[in-house]
Amino acid sequence: MSMFCYQCQEAAGGKGCTKIGVCGKTDDVANLQDLLIYTLKGISDFNQQARKAGLNEQKTDAVILDGLFATITNANFDHNAIAAKITGAISERDRVKATLEAAGKLENKVYHDSAVWTGSVDSYEEKSGSGVGVLSTENEDVRSLRELIIYGLKGMAAYAEHAANLGFADAEIYDFVEKALLATINDGLSADELVALVLETGKFGVNVMALLDKAHTTSYGNPEITEVNIGVRNNPAILISGHDLKDMEELLAQTAGTGVDVYTHSEMLPANYYPAFKKYDHFVGNYGNAWWKQKEEFESFNGPVLFTTNCIVPPATSYKDRIYTTGSAGFDGFKHIQGRVDGKAKDFSEIIEHAKKLASPTEIETGSIVGGFAHNQVMALADKVVDAVKTGAIKQFFVMAGCDGRMKSRDYYTDFAETLPKDTVILTAGCAKYRYNKLGLGDIGGIPRVLDAGQCNDSYSLAVIALKLKEVFELNDINELPISYNIAWYEQKAVIVLLALLHLGVKNIKLGPTLPAFLSPNVANVLVNTFGINGIGTVEEDLVQFLG
Ligand code: SF4
Ligand code: SF3
């Protein structure tokens, strides 16, 4: 075993990747990522004191968020970039410590090794093997709970970073992230206390999604019903993927008038729904499908691709030289576009010039898809929706949000959507939608049967809609609504979305295509007994369960 990672749904053998990641993450990068998380615990120890003393600085929050985000599945595969983040984290930790010392506020206590370890790049490999990674917690239940919290924090950090990029920060969220990181190295906590912390992570999951929703809608307006073109035009073009709308804004502004078109891929599709982006004529639409189809779709796109976050698939050499990353994303050999300095926009000139030299995209589809059913838009249609429920035209809603992935077993979700009775509506968010957003499932009295709220973080919209319906129908419990949850997960953003739903009291969620490898049998039992979480079966069995 040269590494151990079991944070995503594709963990090898349903247990964990031990030599190389199914995602393509190499053992050196996996071990460095463990070490990066470890250094963030050390920073947290000092920064909690800095907070109490009113000495904390924004840059510390940024280092912690970026470090967590960079270790999300498929976000950053770049050995040197992760090593540099470790060095940066250690120096930030020591800066915070020195500030406390200078102010006479440094607590006199025994610190965890992560707060005092001083490494050099050369010693990383050695250090990462000892007492740092997932398996350094011996008790499998404690390990399971600790990792469940850490994976939730990773998703939380990603959303918090996108919000921060738009100028929306929440010190309570940052404070919680630090406290929770420290809890994962506190041997004094009982299993019950860790379970409580898992649920508290879900509470902050709701908060961070609300914050990002506010950041997006304040900056770019409320998503509105939009017909998104999935065909192509005959101009050179850039494909933008990931979740960061600030990058989207700056790329659109800088490509305007250059003759270079812009298309979205995978989780950037919902950018098409925002009023602020619709003014750009060169914003053509969406190209392709979910992240895991990128090898063939980047090949045929012909132009450069910009990753603003996960999910990156190790590329074919034929297109490797036209892939760019920015933010927390990275891959050895890709060009990385640097972050904003002094509040100035990122400089996308290199990728724009690159696009001009390349061919226009090859057409792989034609027509359009419809989306933009975030909370504001659905509320505008509330009367119609409520009427449809009251008259029985809509019998049941199915929340089918989350992630897509390459496993054959995910065909289940397409089959499930196709088999659903015609008087049901799918509420979706995240890249899971690509399993059913092109099926032409029709509408119910003008209400489409697939309502796409947006990115995975827009699952928040689905929660807002559910809470609103609960109010309209004067119900005491969200679970009395005719809404069932059949969630597909892949990486750690889905973990925070799931924990957020649990915090909101949602019960009987089906989670697939497989349950997480990081849930020990005992922890899985707690989730089953307390929340009724269960795995998927066959489409037929599950429909019987859902529809009684
Ligand atoms: Fe394996 Fe998933 Fe970890 Fe990648 S992120 S190494 S596929 S468990
Ligand atoms: Fe998709 Fe990675 Fe999770 Fe944001 S882009 S939902 S998998």
Side-chain angles (χ1 to χ4, degrees):
M1 188 187 292
S2 55
M3 61 179 273
F4 185 79
C5 180
Y6 64 173
Q7 67 176 354
C8 85
Q9 189 271 324
E10 294 189 358
K15 290 199 160 65
C17 301
T18 55
K19 291 194 178 73
I20 185 171
V22 173
C23 59
K25 182 164 74 176
T26 49
D27 54 358
D28 58 317
V29 173
N31 291 325
L32 284 179
Q33 289 191 353
D34 287 346
L35 195 50
L36 176 55
I37 296 292
Y38 177 80
T39 58
L40 303 182
K41 296 169 182 169
I43 303 183
S44 300
D45 213 343
F46 294 118
N47 210 43
Q48 280 289 290
Q49 295 176 48
R51 279 185 198 284
K52 271 190 233 149
L55 292 169
N56 60 305
E57 294 185 30
Q58 260 183 2
K59 59 182 169 187
T60 319
D61 304 328
V63 169
I64 294 174
L65 296 185
D66 175 62
L68 284 164
F69 192 172
T71 66
I72 278 188
T73 300
N74 284 346
N76 199 318
F77 295 82
D78 187 339
H79 179 109
N80 292 338
I82 303 292
K85 287 179 198 294
I86 295 170
T87 313
I90 290 174
S91 70
E92 183 57 16
R93 180 196 71 190
D94 293 344
R95 188 197 64 74
V96 178
K97 184 181 173 203
T99 308
L100 284 163
E101 246 166 355
K105 299 284 186 188
L106 184 64
E107 285 173 17
N108 182 16
K109 67 174 196 177
V110 178
Y111 286 94
H112 183 260
D113 183 51
S114 60
V116 291
W117 173 64
T118 46
S120 65
V121 173
D122 296 339
S123 67
Y124 288 169
E125 248 79 359
E126 195 189 322
K127 178 72 189 165
S128 59
S130 61
V132 168
V134 173
L135 298 177
S136 60
T137 302
E138 279 172 21
N139 180 300
E140 71 164 348
D141 297 327
V142 175
R143 185 194 308 146
S144 175
L145 290 165
R146 286 178 173 179
E147 293 305 314
L148 177 54
I149 292 164
I150 288 176
Y151 303 151
L153 295 179
K154 290 184 181 195
M156 192 185 301
Y159 294 155
E161 188 176 299
H162 294 310
N165 289 344
L166 288 164
F168 288 75
D170 182 341
E172 279 187 25
I173 293 172
Y174 306 155
D175 180 45
F176 175 77
V177 169
E178 289 169 9
K179 285 196 172 106
L181 278 171
L182 290 174
T184 66
I185 45 173
N186 183 350
D187 292 332
L189 292 182
S190 66
D192 284 349
E193 285 168 314
L194 285 170
V195 169
L197 192 63
V198 168
L199 293 185
E200 201 180 352
T201 307
K203 173 177 161 214
F204 282 93
V206 175
N207 293 357
V208 78
M209 286 195 279
L211 180 72
L212 185 53
D213 180 80
K214 191 166 159 210
H216 285 162
T217 54
T218 309
S219 308
Y220 307 119
N222 275 300
E224 49 195 33
I225 302 178
T226 306
E227 214 170 289
V228 180
N229 170 36
I230 55 172
V232 299
R233 301 201 309 197
N234 197 19
N235 296 325
I238 295 169
L239 189 60
I240 174 168
S241 190
H243 302 66
D244 197 281
L245 294 190
K246 183 71 182 168
D247 290 333
M248 182 74 199
E249 175 196 341
E250 291 179 352
L251 181 69
L252 283 172
Q254 291 176 37
T255 40
T258 62
V260 173
D261 286 342
V262 173
Y263 296 76
T264 54
H265 190 258
S266 191
E267 272 287 73
M268 197 55 90
L269 158 66
N272 287 275
Y273 312 152
Y274 286 87
F277 300 144
K278 291 185 177 176
K279 65 177 184 233
Y280 294 106
D281 294 339
H282 67 292
F283 183 16
V284 179
N286 190 68
Y287 188 85
N289 295 281
W291 64 273
W292 62 278
K293 293 261 186 107
Q294 67 189 250
K295 276 197 160 177
E296 52 195 278
E297 291 172 357
F298 289 2
E299 195 74 65
S300 61
F301 185 76
N302 302 325
V305 180
L306 174 65
F307 270 105
T308 67
T309 57
N310 53 331
C311 282
I312 300 170
V313 175
T317 42
S318 52
Y319 67 79
K320 188 174 181 179
D321 67 336
R322 53 183 167 87
I323 311 292
Y324 293 72
T325 56
T326 191
S328 298
F331 194 94
D332 207 8
F334 289 176
K335 295 174 199 87
H336 189 78
I337 293 171
Q338 293 309 318
R340 296 172 187 90
V341 181
D342 299 331
K344 289 200 202 85
K346 289 183 183 176
D347 179 4
F348 290 115
S349 54
E350 188 182 349
I351 187 169
I352 296 168
E353 288 312 306
H354 196 165
K356 288 178 184 169
K357 297 187 195 116
L358 298 171
S360 61
T362 304
E363 187 172 271
I364 53 173
E365 296 173 294
T366 56
S368 62
I369 49 178
V370 179
F373 296 93
H375 54 87
N376 188 274
Q377 180 65 79
V378 175
M379 287 314 142
L381 298 172
D383 289 349
K384 211 171 169 180
V385 174
V386 168
D387 272 357
V389 175
K390 282 186 175 158
T391 60
I394 295 179
K395 284 261 163 41
Q396 184 95 356
F397 294 93
F398 283 84
V399 171
M400 294 177 71
C403 309
D404 197 8
R406 58 202 133 196
M407 278 185 171
K408 180 83 183 119
S409 54
R410 288 185 189 258
D411 288 349
Y412 162 93
Y413 293 102
T414 307
D415 296 344
F416 187 88
E418 277 177 324
T419 315
L420 276 173
K422 301 275 175 282
D423 54 6
T424 57
V425 169
I426 295 172
L427 302 172
T428 191
C431 64
K433 67 171 76 68
Y434 288 99
R435 290 279 167 179
Y436 29 78
N437 68 346
K438 296 175 182 172
L439 295 176
L441 295 179
D443 64 275
I444 299 175
I447 302 166
R449 288 195 54 231
V450 179
L451 299 180
D452 176 23
Q455 298 175 325
C456 48
N457 40 285
D458 294 309
S459 298
Y460 172 73
S461 256
L462 305 181
V464 171
I465 293 166
L467 291 171
K468 188 75 197 165
L469 288 176
K470 177 181 148 220
E471 198 182 302
V472 171
F473 289 107
E474 296 176 355
L475 300 170
N476 296 321
D477 185 340
I478 201 168
N479 295 296
E480 291 170 24
L481 284 166
I483 304 182
S484 303
Y485 294 77
N486 196 356
I487 307 278
W489 82 287
Y490 170 54
E491 34 82 5
Q492 298 77 50
K493 292 177 191 182
V495 174
I496 193 62
V497 170
L498 177 72
L499 296 182
L501 290 175
L502 297 186
H503 168 73
L504 291 171
V506 175
K507 297 253 163 49
N508 302 324
I509 297 173
K510 274 200 187 291
L511 185 63
T514 53
L515 291 179
F518 56 79
L519 294 182
S520 67
N522 287 332
V523 172
N525 268 342
V526 170
L527 295 181
V528 171
N529 295 336
T530 320
F531 301 104
I533 287 190
N534 56 101
I536 60 170
T538 66
V539 168
E540 291 71 24
E541 285 162 6
D542 291 353
L543 274 174
V544 169
Q545 260 190 38
F546 279 127
L547 298 168

